[in-house]
PDB file of all heavy atoms in Angstrom:
ATOM      1  N   ALA A1167       8.851   4.657  20.062  1.00 97.00           N
ATOM      2  CA  ALA A1167      10.016   4.784  20.921  1.00 97.00           C
ATOM      3  C   ALA A1167       9.855   3.813  22.086  1.00 97.00           C
ATOM      4  O   ALA A1167       8.733   3.445  22.446  1.00 97.00           O
ATOM      5  CB  ALA A1167      10.157   6.212  21.432  1.00 97.00           C
ATOM      6  N   PRO A1168      10.960   3.388  22.705  1.00 92.00           N
ATOM      7  CA  PRO A1168      10.875   2.452  23.835  1.00 92.00           C
ATOM      8  C   PRO A1168       9.960   2.971  24.932  1.00 92.00           C
ATOM      9  O   PRO A1168      10.060   4.126  25.347  1.00 92.00           O
ATOM     10  CB  PRO A1168      12.321   2.360  24.314  1.00 92.00           C
ATOM     11  CG  PRO A1168      13.129   2.635  23.087  1.00 92.00           C
ATOM     12  CD  PRO A1168      12.351   3.707  22.366  1.00 92.00           C
ATOM     13  N   GLY A1169       9.047   2.117  25.392  1.00 93.00           N
ATOM     14  CA  GLY A1169       8.142   2.493  26.464  1.00 93.00           C
ATOM     15  C   GLY A1169       6.981   3.373  26.054  1.00 93.00           C
ATOM     16  O   GLY A1169       6.195   3.778  26.913  1.00 93.00           O
ATOM     17  N   LYS A1170       6.858   3.677  24.778  1.00 95.00           N
ATOM     18  CA  LYS A1170       5.781   4.531  24.304  1.00 95.00           C
ATOM     19  C   LYS A1170       4.937   3.793  23.267  1.00 95.00           C
ATOM     20  O   LYS A1170       5.382   2.812  22.671  1.00 95.00           O
ATOM     21  CB  LYS A1170       6.331   5.822  23.702  1.00 95.00           C
ATOM     22  CG  LYS A1170       7.362   6.518  24.563  1.00 95.00           C
ATOM     23  CD  LYS A1170       7.557   7.968  24.168  1.00 95.00           C
ATOM     24  CE  LYS A1170       6.415   8.818  24.701  1.00 95.00           C
ATOM     25  NZ  LYS A1170       6.636  10.271  24.493  1.00 95.00           N
ATOM     26  N   GLN A1171       3.720   4.274  23.063  1.00 96.00           N
ATOM     27  CA  GLN A1171       2.852   3.628  22.087  1.00 96.00           C
ATOM     28  C   GLN A1171       3.233   4.031  20.665  1.00 96.00           C
ATOM     29  O   GLN A1171       3.839   5.077  20.439  1.00 96.00           O
ATOM     30  CB  GLN A1171       1.387   3.968  22.367  1.00 96.00           C
ATOM     31  CG  GLN A1171       0.994   5.403  22.109  1.00 96.00           C
ATOM     32  CD  GLN A1171      -0.493   5.645  22.321  1.00 96.00           C
ATOM     33  OE1 GLN A1171      -1.258   4.707  22.551  1.00 96.00           O
ATOM     34  NE2 GLN A1171      -0.914   6.887  22.241  1.00 96.00           N
ATOM     35  N   ARG A1172       2.873   3.183  19.731  1.00 97.00           N
ATOM     36  CA  ARG A1172       3.148   3.458  18.332  1.00 97.00           C
ATOM     37  C   ARG A1172       2.252   4.601  17.851  1.00 97.00           C
ATOM     38  O   ARG A1172       1.058   4.634  18.149  1.00 97.00           O
ATOM     39  CB  ARG A1172       2.903   2.204  17.496  1.00 97.00           C
ATOM     40  CG  ARG A1172       3.340   2.314  16.055  1.00 97.00           C
ATOM     41  CD  ARG A1172       3.304   0.944  15.361  1.00 97.00           C
ATOM     42  NE  ARG A1172       4.220   0.000  15.984  1.00 97.00           N
ATOM     43  CZ  ARG A1172       4.451  -1.224  15.523  1.00 97.00           C
ATOM     44  NH1 ARG A1172       3.830  -1.655  14.429  1.00 97.00           N
ATOM     45  NH2 ARG A1172       5.296  -2.020  16.161  1.00 97.00           N
ATOM     46  N   GLU A1173       2.829   5.536  17.105  1.00 97.00           N
ATOM     47  CA  GLU A1173       2.074   6.678  16.620  1.00 97.00           C
ATOM     48  C   GLU A1173       2.202   6.830  15.114  1.00 97.00           C
ATOM     49  O   GLU A1173       3.232   6.498  14.520  1.00 97.00           O
ATOM     50  CB  GLU A1173       2.540   7.967  17.310  1.00 97.00           C
ATOM     51  CG  GLU A1173       3.969   8.374  16.983  1.00 97.00           C
ATOM     52  CD  GLU A1173       4.342   9.744  17.522  1.00 97.00           C
ATOM     53  OE1 GLU A1173       3.442  10.521  17.876  1.00 97.00           O
ATOM     54  OE2 GLU A1173       5.562  10.034  17.586  1.00 97.00           O
ATOM     55  N   LEU A1174       1.157   7.357  14.516  1.00 98.00           N
ATOM     56  CA  LEU A1174       1.159   7.622  13.084  1.00 98.00           C
ATOM     57  C   LEU A1174       1.998   8.866  12.807  1.00 98.00           C
ATOM     58  O   LEU A1174       1.775   9.915  13.395  1.00 98.00           O
ATOM     59  CB  LEU A1174      -0.266   7.830  12.580  1.00 98.00           C
ATOM     60  CG  LEU A1174      -0.423   8.212  11.107  1.00 98.00           C
ATOM     61  CD1 LEU A1174       0.048   7.065  10.209  1.00 98.00           C
ATOM     62  CD2 LEU A1174      -1.873   8.560  10.802  1.00 98.00           C
ATOM     63  N   VAL A1175       2.948   8.747  11.896  1.00 98.00           N
ATOM     64  CA  VAL A1175       3.817   9.853  11.529  1.00 98.00           C
ATOM     65  C   VAL A1175       3.324  10.542  10.267  1.00 98.00           C
ATOM     66  O   VAL A1175       3.224  11.766  10.205  1.00 98.00           O
ATOM     67  CB  VAL A1175       5.268   9.368  11.316  1.00 98.00           C
ATOM     68  CG1 VAL A1175       6.161  10.515  10.840  1.00 98.00           C
ATOM     69  CG2 VAL A1175       5.818   8.774  12.608  1.00 98.00           C
ATOM     70  N   ALA A1176       3.032   9.757   9.250  1.00 98.00           N
ATOM     71  CA  ALA A1176       2.584  10.302   7.974  1.00 98.00           C
ATOM     72  C   ALA A1176       1.812   9.249   7.202  1.00 98.00           C
ATOM     73  O   ALA A1176       2.029   8.053   7.373  1.00 98.00           O
ATOM     74  CB  ALA A1176       3.777  10.791   7.145  1.00 98.00           C
ATOM     75  N   ARG A1177       0.921   9.719   6.350  1.00 98.00           N
ATOM     76  CA  ARG A1177       0.099   8.823   5.550  1.00 98.00           C
ATOM     77  C   ARG A1177      -0.080   9.417   4.172  1.00 98.00           C
ATOM     78  O   ARG A1177      -0.197  10.636   4.020  1.00 98.00           O
ATOM     79  CB  ARG A1177      -1.265   8.624   6.217  1.00 98.00           C
ATOM     80  CG  ARG A1177      -2.262   7.781   5.432  1.00 98.00           C
ATOM     81  CD  ARG A1177      -3.605   7.737   6.152  1.00 98.00           C
ATOM     82  NE  ARG A1177      -4.578   6.895   5.465  1.00 98.00           N
ATOM     83  CZ  ARG A1177      -5.354   7.299   4.468  1.00 98.00           C
ATOM     84  NH1 ARG A1177      -5.270   8.553   4.031  1.00 98.00           N
ATOM     85  NH2 ARG A1177      -6.209   6.460   3.901  1.00 98.00           N
ATOM     86  N   ILE A1178      -0.109   8.563   3.163  1.00 98.00           N
ATOM     87  CA  ILE A1178      -0.365   9.008   1.799  1.00 98.00           C
ATOM     88  C   ILE A1178      -1.372   8.065   1.169  1.00 98.00           C
ATOM     89  O   ILE A1178      -1.227   6.844   1.209  1.00 98.00           O
ATOM     90  CB  ILE A1178       0.944   9.091   0.974  1.00 98.00           C
ATOM     91  CG1 ILE A1178       0.652   9.650  -0.425  1.00 98.00           C
ATOM     92  CG2 ILE A1178       1.647   7.741   0.889  1.00 98.00           C
ATOM     93  CD1 ILE A1178       1.915  10.067  -1.178  1.00 98.00           C
ATOM     94  N   SER A1179      -2.425   8.626   0.607  1.00 97.00           N
ATOM     95  CA  SER A1179      -3.465   7.826  -0.013  1.00 97.00           C
ATOM     96  C   SER A1179      -3.025   7.351  -1.384  1.00 97.00           C
ATOM     97  O   SER A1179      -2.006   7.782  -1.925  1.00 97.00           O
ATOM     98  CB  SER A1179      -4.754   8.638  -0.134  1.00 97.00           C
ATOM     99  OG  SER A1179      -4.630   9.630  -1.140  1.00 97.00           O
ATOM    100  N   SER A1180      -3.807   6.455  -1.954  1.00 95.00           N
ATOM    101  CA  SER A1180      -3.494   5.973  -3.289  1.00 95.00           C
ATOM    102  C   SER A1180      -3.530   7.099  -4.315  1.00 95.00           C
ATOM    103  O   SER A1180      -2.856   7.016  -5.349  1.00 95.00           O
ATOM    104  CB  SER A1180      -4.483   4.865  -3.692  1.00 95.00           C
ATOM    105  OG  SER A1180      -5.814   5.345  -3.691  1.00 95.00           O
ATOM    106  N   GLY A1181      -4.300   8.142  -4.016  1.00 94.00           N
ATOM    107  CA  GLY A1181      -4.396   9.286  -4.905  1.00 94.00           C
ATOM    108  C   GLY A1181      -3.370  10.371  -4.640  1.00 94.00           C
ATOM    109  O   GLY A1181      -3.349  11.385  -5.337  1.00 94.00           O
ATOM    110  N   GLY A1182      -2.531  10.184  -3.619  1.00 96.00           N
ATOM    111  CA  GLY A1182      -1.471  11.140  -3.334  1.00 96.00           C
ATOM    112  C   GLY A1182      -1.767  12.161  -2.250  1.00 96.00           C
ATOM    113  O   GLY A1182      -0.930  13.030  -1.974  1.00 96.00           O
ATOM    114  N   ASN A1183      -2.924  12.088  -1.619  1.00 98.00           N
ATOM    115  CA  ASN A1183      -3.225  12.999  -0.517  1.00 98.00           C
ATOM    116  C   ASN A1183      -2.415  12.606   0.707  1.00 98.00           C
ATOM    117  O   ASN A1183      -2.280  11.422   1.017  1.00 98.00           O
ATOM    118  CB  ASN A1183      -4.710  12.972  -0.181  1.00 98.00           C
ATOM    119  CG  ASN A1183      -5.563  13.539  -1.294  1.00 98.00           C
ATOM    120  OD1 ASN A1183      -5.218  14.556  -1.892  1.00 98.00           O
ATOM    121  ND2 ASN A1183      -6.682  12.897  -1.584  1.00 98.00           N
ATOM    122  N   THR A1184      -1.879  13.590   1.428  1.00 98.00           N
ATOM    123  CA  THR A1184      -1.006  13.317   2.563  1.00 98.00           C
ATOM    124  C   THR A1184      -1.528  13.900   3.863  1.00 98.00           C
ATOM    125  O   THR A1184      -2.259  14.887   3.880  1.00 98.00           O
ATOM    126  CB  THR A1184       0.402  13.872   2.309  1.00 98.00           C
ATOM    127  OG1 THR A1184       0.326  15.292   2.091  1.00 98.00           O
ATOM    128  CG2 THR A1184       1.023  13.221   1.085  1.00 98.00           C
ATOM    129  N   ASN A1185      -1.117  13.259   4.958  1.00 98.00           N
ATOM    130  CA  ASN A1185      -1.409  13.727   6.308  1.00 98.00           C
ATOM    131  C   ASN A1185      -0.173  13.502   7.159  1.00 98.00           C
ATOM    132  O   ASN A1185       0.540  12.514   6.981  1.00 98.00           O
ATOM    133  CB  ASN A1185      -2.596  12.973   6.911  1.00 98.00           C
ATOM    134  CG  ASN A1185      -3.909  13.312   6.242  1.00 98.00           C
ATOM    135  OD1 ASN A1185      -4.473  14.370   6.476  1.00 98.00           O
ATOM    136  ND2 ASN A1185      -4.390  12.408   5.397  1.00 98.00           N
ATOM    137  N   TYR A1186       0.077  14.430   8.090  1.00 98.00           N
ATOM    138  CA  TYR A1186       1.253  14.353   8.946  1.00 98.00           C
ATOM    139  C   TYR A1186       0.898  14.602  10.400  1.00 98.00           C
ATOM    140  O   TYR A1186      -0.028  15.359  10.712  1.00 98.00           O
ATOM    141  CB  TYR A1186       2.297  15.393   8.540  1.00 98.00           C
ATOM    142  CG  TYR A1186       2.828  15.234   7.144  1.00 98.00           C
ATOM    143  CD1 TYR A1186       2.246  15.899   6.073  1.00 98.00           C
ATOM    144  CD2 TYR A1186       3.926  14.417   6.888  1.00 98.00           C
ATOM    145  CE1 TYR A1186       2.735  15.751   4.786  1.00 98.00           C
ATOM    146  CE2 TYR A1186       4.422  14.263   5.600  1.00 98.00           C
ATOM    147  CZ  TYR A1186       3.821  14.936   4.556  1.00 98.00           C
ATOM    148  OH  TYR A1186       4.311  14.788   3.278  1.00 98.00           O
ATOM    149  N   ALA A1187       1.660  13.978  11.286  1.00 98.00           N
ATOM    150  CA  ALA A1187       1.555  14.296  12.693  1.00 98.00           C
ATOM    151  C   ALA A1187       2.056  15.720  12.896  1.00 98.00           C
ATOM    152  O   ALA A1187       2.970  16.176  12.204  1.00 98.00           O
ATOM    153  CB  ALA A1187       2.390  13.329  13.520  1.00 98.00           C
ATOM    154  N   ASP A1188       1.461  16.437  13.835  1.00 98.00           N
ATOM    155  CA  ASP A1188       1.865  17.823  14.081  1.00 98.00           C
ATOM    156  C   ASP A1188       3.356  17.945  14.388  1.00 98.00           C
ATOM    157  O   ASP A1188       3.993  18.935  14.020  1.00 98.00           O
ATOM    158  CB  ASP A1188       1.057  18.412  15.233  1.00 98.00           C
ATOM    159  CG  ASP A1188      -0.386  18.681  14.858  1.00 98.00           C
ATOM    160  OD1 ASP A1188      -0.690  18.767  13.657  1.00 98.00           O
ATOM    161  OD2 ASP A1188      -1.215  18.816  15.780  1.00 98.00           O
ATOM    162  N   SER A1189       3.910  16.952  15.044  1.00 97.00           N
ATOM    163  CA  SER A1189       5.303  17.005  15.454  1.00 97.00           C
ATOM    164  C   SER A1189       6.300  16.954  14.298  1.00 97.00           C
ATOM    165  O   SER A1189       7.464  17.311  14.475  1.00 97.00           O
ATOM    166  CB  SER A1189       5.608  15.864  16.432  1.00 97.00           C
ATOM    167  OG  SER A1189       5.355  14.607  15.832  1.00 97.00           O
ATOM    168  N   VAL A1190       5.849  16.529  13.117  1.00 98.00           N
ATOM    169  CA  VAL A1190       6.764  16.406  11.984  1.00 98.00           C
ATOM    170  C   VAL A1190       6.393  17.301  10.810  1.00 98.00           C
ATOM    171  O   VAL A1190       7.134  17.345   9.815  1.00 98.00           O
ATOM    172  CB  VAL A1190       6.874  14.947  11.489  1.00 98.00           C
ATOM    173  CG1 VAL A1190       7.219  14.018  12.648  1.00 98.00           C
ATOM    174  CG2 VAL A1190       5.583  14.499  10.806  1.00 98.00           C
ATOM    175  N   LYS A1191       5.301  18.026  10.911  1.00 98.00           N
ATOM    176  CA  LYS A1191       4.880  18.903   9.821  1.00 98.00           C
ATOM    177  C   LYS A1191       5.959  19.928   9.500  1.00 98.00           C
ATOM    178  O   LYS A1191       6.531  20.541  10.390  1.00 98.00           O
ATOM    179  CB  LYS A1191       3.586  19.626  10.191  1.00 98.00           C
ATOM    180  CG  LYS A1191       2.351  18.755  10.121  1.00 98.00           C
ATOM    181  CD  LYS A1191       1.094  19.547  10.474  1.00 98.00           C
ATOM    182  CE  LYS A1191      -0.143  18.676  10.382  1.00 98.00           C
ATOM    183  NZ  LYS A1191      -1.370  19.410  10.802  1.00 98.00           N
ATOM    184  N   GLY A1192       6.225  20.089   8.218  1.00 97.00           N
ATOM    185  CA  GLY A1192       7.240  21.025   7.779  1.00 97.00           C
ATOM    186  C   GLY A1192       8.627  20.443   7.737  1.00 97.00           C
ATOM    187  O   GLY A1192       9.533  21.058   7.168  1.00 97.00           O
ATOM    188  N   ARG A1193       8.825  19.280   8.332  1.00 98.00           N
ATOM    189  CA  ARG A1193      10.139  18.648   8.360  1.00 98.00           C
ATOM    190  C   ARG A1193      10.180  17.332   7.587  1.00 98.00           C
ATOM    191  O   ARG A1193      11.190  17.010   6.967  1.00 98.00           O
ATOM    192  CB  ARG A1193      10.580  18.387   9.805  1.00 98.00           C
ATOM    193  CG  ARG A1193      10.718  19.650  10.641  1.00 98.00           C
ATOM    194  CD  ARG A1193      11.338  19.338  12.002  1.00 98.00           C
ATOM    195  NE  ARG A1193      10.519  18.427  12.796  1.00 98.00           N
ATOM    196  CZ  ARG A1193      10.910  17.225  13.216  1.00 98.00           C
ATOM    197  NH1 ARG A1193      12.140  16.783  12.924  1.00 98.00           N
ATOM    198  NH2 ARG A1193      10.101  16.463  13.933  1.00 98.00           N
ATOM    199  N   PHE A1194       9.096  16.568   7.645  1.00 98.00           N
ATOM    200  CA  PHE A1194       9.027  15.270   6.976  1.00 98.00           C
ATOM    201  C   PHE A1194       8.140  15.353   5.744  1.00 98.00           C
ATOM    202  O   PHE A1194       7.157  16.101   5.713  1.00 98.00           O
ATOM    203  CB  PHE A1194       8.447  14.205   7.911  1.00 98.00           C
ATOM    204  CG  PHE A1194       9.330  13.811   9.059  1.00 98.00           C
ATOM    205  CD1 PHE A1194      10.472  14.532   9.393  1.00 98.00           C
ATOM    206  CD2 PHE A1194       9.011  12.693   9.817  1.00 98.00           C
ATOM    207  CE1 PHE A1194      11.278  14.162  10.458  1.00 98.00           C
ATOM    208  CE2 PHE A1194       9.807  12.306  10.885  1.00 98.00           C
ATOM    209  CZ  PHE A1194      10.939  13.043  11.205  1.00 98.00           C
ATOM    210  N   THR A1195       8.465  14.553   4.736  1.00 98.00           N
ATOM    211  CA  THR A1195       7.657  14.468   3.528  1.00 98.00           C
ATOM    212  C   THR A1195       7.474  13.006   3.133  1.00 98.00           C
ATOM    213  O   THR A1195       8.453  12.278   2.980  1.00 98.00           O
ATOM    214  CB  THR A1195       8.309  15.219   2.354  1.00 98.00           C
ATOM    215  OG1 THR A1195       8.505  16.594   2.696  1.00 98.00           O
ATOM    216  CG2 THR A1195       7.416  15.147   1.118  1.00 98.00           C
ATOM    217  N   ILE A1196       6.226  12.594   2.988  1.00 98.00           N
ATOM    218  CA  ILE A1196       5.945  11.242   2.542  1.00 98.00           C
ATOM    219  C   ILE A1196       5.628  11.274   1.050  1.00 98.00           C
ATOM    220  O   ILE A1196       4.977  12.200   0.563  1.00 98.00           O
ATOM    221  CB  ILE A1196       4.780  10.613   3.343  1.00 98.00           C
ATOM    222  CG1 ILE A1196       4.623   9.130   2.994  1.00 98.00           C
ATOM    223  CG2 ILE A1196       3.476  11.372   3.119  1.00 98.00           C
ATOM    224  CD1 ILE A1196       3.649   8.387   3.913  1.00 98.00           C
ATOM    225  N   SER A1197       6.103  10.291   0.329  1.00 98.00           N
ATOM    226  CA  SER A1197       5.847  10.204  -1.102  1.00 98.00           C
ATOM    227  C   SER A1197       5.793   8.739  -1.501  1.00 98.00           C
ATOM    228  O   SER A1197       6.158   7.861  -0.720  1.00 98.00           O
ATOM    229  CB  SER A1197       6.928  10.943  -1.901  1.00 98.00           C
ATOM    230  OG  SER A1197       8.206  10.374  -1.681  1.00 98.00           O
ATOM    231  N   ARG A1198       5.342   8.479  -2.716  1.00 98.00           N
ATOM    232  CA  ARG A1198       5.276   7.096  -3.176  1.00 98.00           C
ATOM    233  C   ARG A1198       5.596   7.011  -4.656  1.00 98.00           C
ATOM    234  O   ARG A1198       5.363   7.955  -5.418  1.00 98.00           O
ATOM    235  CB  ARG A1198       3.899   6.484  -2.882  1.00 98.00           C
ATOM    236  CG  ARG A1198       2.731   7.162  -3.582  1.00 98.00           C
ATOM    237  CD  ARG A1198       1.387   6.712  -2.991  1.00 98.00           C
ATOM    238  NE  ARG A1198       1.091   5.319  -3.291  1.00 98.00           N
ATOM    239  CZ  ARG A1198       0.152   4.600  -2.688  1.00 98.00           C
ATOM    240  NH1 ARG A1198      -0.574   5.155  -1.710  1.00 98.00           N
ATOM    241  NH2 ARG A1198      -0.059   3.336  -3.036  1.00 98.00           N
ATOM    242  N   ASP A1199       6.133   5.882  -5.043  1.00 96.00           N
ATOM    243  CA  ASP A1199       6.422   5.579  -6.433  1.00 96.00           C
ATOM    244  C   ASP A1199       5.638   4.313  -6.740  1.00 96.00           C
ATOM    245  O   ASP A1199       6.065   3.207  -6.401  1.00 96.00           O
ATOM    246  CB  ASP A1199       7.918   5.367  -6.652  1.00 96.00           C
ATOM    247  CG  ASP A1199       8.273   5.168  -8.114  1.00 96.00           C
ATOM    248  OD1 ASP A1199       7.400   4.745  -8.898  1.00 96.00           O
ATOM    249  OD2 ASP A1199       9.432   5.436  -8.480  1.00 96.00           O
ATOM    250  N   ASN A1200       4.490   4.480  -7.357  1.00 94.00           N
ATOM    251  CA  ASN A1200       3.615   3.342  -7.603  1.00 94.00           C
ATOM    252  C   ASN A1200       4.231   2.304  -8.554  1.00 94.00           C
ATOM    253  O   ASN A1200       3.947   1.114  -8.446  1.00 94.00           O
ATOM    254  CB  ASN A1200       2.270   3.819  -8.148  1.00 94.00           C
ATOM    255  CG  ASN A1200       1.477   4.589  -7.115  1.00 94.00           C
ATOM    256  OD1 ASN A1200       1.591   4.345  -5.913  1.00 94.00           O
ATOM    257  ND2 ASN A1200       0.657   5.528  -7.566  1.00 94.00           N
ATOM    258  N   ALA A1201       5.062   2.759  -9.476  1.00 94.00           N
ATOM    259  CA  ALA A1201       5.710   1.841 -10.403  1.00 94.00           C
ATOM    260  C   ALA A1201       6.666   0.900  -9.680  1.00 94.00           C
ATOM    261  O   ALA A1201       6.927  -0.211 -10.137  1.00 94.00           O
ATOM    262  CB  ALA A1201       6.451   2.607 -11.493  1.00 94.00           C
ATOM    263  N   LYS A1202       7.200   1.357  -8.542  1.00 96.00           N
ATOM    264  CA  LYS A1202       8.131   0.553  -7.757  1.00 96.00           C
ATOM    265  C   LYS A1202       7.492  -0.036  -6.503  1.00 96.00           C
ATOM    266  O   LYS A1202       8.178  -0.687  -5.715  1.00 96.00           O
ATOM    267  CB  LYS A1202       9.339   1.396  -7.348  1.00 96.00           C
ATOM    268  CG  LYS A1202      10.176   1.885  -8.512  1.00 96.00           C
ATOM    269  CD  LYS A1202      11.365   2.696  -8.021  1.00 96.00           C
ATOM    270  CE  LYS A1202      12.233   3.155  -9.182  1.00 96.00           C
ATOM    271  NZ  LYS A1202      13.394   3.969  -8.713  1.00 96.00           N
ATOM    272  N   ASN A1203       6.196   0.196  -6.318  1.00 96.00           N
ATOM    273  CA  ASN A1203       5.493  -0.275  -5.125  1.00 96.00           C
ATOM    274  C   ASN A1203       6.223   0.156  -3.852  1.00 96.00           C
ATOM    275  O   ASN A1203       6.363  -0.615  -2.901  1.00 96.00           O
ATOM    276  CB  ASN A1203       5.352  -1.805  -5.139  1.00 96.00           C
ATOM    277  CG  ASN A1203       4.434  -2.303  -6.243  1.00 96.00           C
ATOM    278  OD1 ASN A1203       4.626  -3.391  -6.776  1.00 96.00           O
ATOM    279  ND2 ASN A1203       3.426  -1.508  -6.589  1.00 96.00           N
ATOM    280  N   THR A1204       6.664   1.398  -3.841  1.00 97.00           N
ATOM    281  CA  THR A1204       7.505   1.891  -2.759  1.00 97.00           C
ATOM    282  C   THR A1204       6.986   3.200  -2.180  1.00 97.00           C
ATOM    283  O   THR A1204       6.517   4.069  -2.920  1.00 97.00           O
ATOM    284  CB  THR A1204       8.946   2.084  -3.248  1.00 97.00           C
ATOM    285  OG1 THR A1204       9.461   0.830  -3.720  1.00 97.00           O
ATOM    286  CG2 THR A1204       9.843   2.601  -2.130  1.00 97.00           C
ATOM    287  N   VAL A1205       7.083   3.331  -0.869  1.00 98.00           N
ATOM    288  CA  VAL A1205       6.752   4.570  -0.181  1.00 98.00           C
ATOM    289  C   VAL A1205       8.018   5.072   0.501  1.00 98.00           C
ATOM    290  O   VAL A1205       8.834   4.272   0.970  1.00 98.00           O
ATOM    291  CB  VAL A1205       5.613   4.375   0.843  1.00 98.00           C
ATOM    292  CG1 VAL A1205       6.023   3.405   1.948  1.00 98.00           C
ATOM    293  CG2 VAL A1205       5.183   5.713   1.435  1.00 98.00           C
ATOM    294  N   TYR A1206       8.186   6.388   0.542  1.00 98.00           N
ATOM    295  CA  TYR A1206       9.362   7.000   1.126  1.00 98.00           C
ATOM    296  C   TYR A1206       8.973   7.962   2.241  1.00 98.00           C
ATOM    297  O   TYR A1206       7.867   8.490   2.259  1.00 98.00           O
ATOM    298  CB  TYR A1206      10.146   7.797   0.080  1.00 98.00           C
ATOM    299  CG  TYR A1206      10.535   7.007  -1.143  1.00 98.00           C
ATOM    300  CD1 TYR A1206       9.732   7.018  -2.278  1.00 98.00           C
ATOM    301  CD2 TYR A1206      11.710   6.260  -1.169  1.00 98.00           C
ATOM    302  CE1 TYR A1206      10.090   6.298  -3.407  1.00 98.00           C
ATOM    303  CE2 TYR A1206      12.068   5.538  -2.300  1.00 98.00           C
ATOM    304  CZ  TYR A1206      11.261   5.563  -3.414  1.00 98.00           C
ATOM    305  OH  TYR A1206      11.618   4.849  -4.534  1.00 98.00           O
ATOM    306  N   LEU A1207       9.900   8.193   3.137  1.00 98.00           N
ATOM    307  CA  LEU A1207       9.736   9.218   4.151  1.00 98.00           C
ATOM    308  C   LEU A1207      11.026  10.011   4.212  1.00 98.00           C
ATOM    309  O   LEU A1207      12.045   9.517   4.699  1.00 98.00           O
ATOM    310  CB  LEU A1207       9.428   8.616   5.529  1.00 98.00           C
ATOM    311  CG  LEU A1207       9.124   9.645   6.625  1.00 98.00           C
ATOM    312  CD1 LEU A1207       7.820  10.384   6.320  1.00 98.00           C
ATOM    313  CD2 LEU A1207       9.039   8.977   7.995  1.00 98.00           C
ATOM    314  N   GLN A1208      10.987  11.233   3.672  1.00 98.00           N
ATOM    315  CA  GLN A1208      12.131  12.123   3.728  1.00 98.00           C
ATOM    316  C   GLN A1208      12.064  12.880   5.046  1.00 98.00           C
ATOM    317  O   GLN A1208      11.103  13.602   5.297  1.00 98.00           O
ATOM    318  CB  GLN A1208      12.110  13.109   2.559  1.00 98.00           C
ATOM    319  CG  GLN A1208      13.245  14.117   2.554  1.00 98.00           C
ATOM    320  CD  GLN A1208      14.602  13.484   2.362  1.00 98.00           C
ATOM    321  OE1 GLN A1208      14.766  12.630   1.497  1.00 98.00           O
ATOM    322  NE2 GLN A1208      15.578  13.890   3.167  1.00 98.00           N
ATOM    323  N   MET A1209      13.076  12.722   5.870  1.00 98.00           N
ATOM    324  CA  MET A1209      13.106  13.336   7.194  1.00 98.00           C
ATOM    325  C   MET A1209      14.223  14.366   7.243  1.00 98.00           C
ATOM    326  O   MET A1209      15.400  14.017   7.166  1.00 98.00           O
ATOM    327  CB  MET A1209      13.305  12.273   8.269  1.00 98.00           C
ATOM    328  CG  MET A1209      12.263  11.163   8.236  1.00 98.00           C
ATOM    329  SD  MET A1209      12.457   9.968   9.585  1.00 98.00           S
ATOM    330  CE  MET A1209      14.004   9.205   9.098  1.00 98.00           C
ATOM    331  N   ASN A1210      13.843  15.626   7.363  1.00 98.00           N
ATOM    332  CA  ASN A1210      14.802  16.725   7.444  1.00 98.00           C
ATOM    333  C   ASN A1210      14.769  17.347   8.828  1.00 98.00           C
ATOM    334  O   ASN A1210      13.814  17.187   9.577  1.00 98.00           O
ATOM    335  CB  ASN A1210      14.485  17.789   6.392  1.00 98.00           C
ATOM    336  CG  ASN A1210      14.586  17.288   4.980  1.00 98.00           C
ATOM    337  OD1 ASN A1210      15.398  16.417   4.666  1.00 98.00           O
ATOM    338  ND2 ASN A1210      13.766  17.841   4.092  1.00 98.00           N
ATOM    339  N   SER A1211      15.815  18.090   9.149  1.00 98.00           N
ATOM    340  CA  SER A1211      15.909  18.782  10.435  1.00 98.00           C
ATOM    341  C   SER A1211      15.575  17.860  11.598  1.00 98.00           C
ATOM    342  O   SER A1211      14.780  18.194  12.477  1.00 98.00           O
ATOM    343  CB  SER A1211      14.974  19.999  10.438  1.00 98.00           C
ATOM    344  OG  SER A1211      15.289  20.892   9.394  1.00 98.00           O
TER     345      SER A1211
END
């Protein structure tokens, strides 16, 4: 955000293990499609 430092929101390992910032847990979901070389972030609420 403007005037603030960059923060980690979510991470997904090559094996599919995920980690989330406390502020987004339960609302955001990170996923990946290896066939498409793509990572997604579904943001709800």
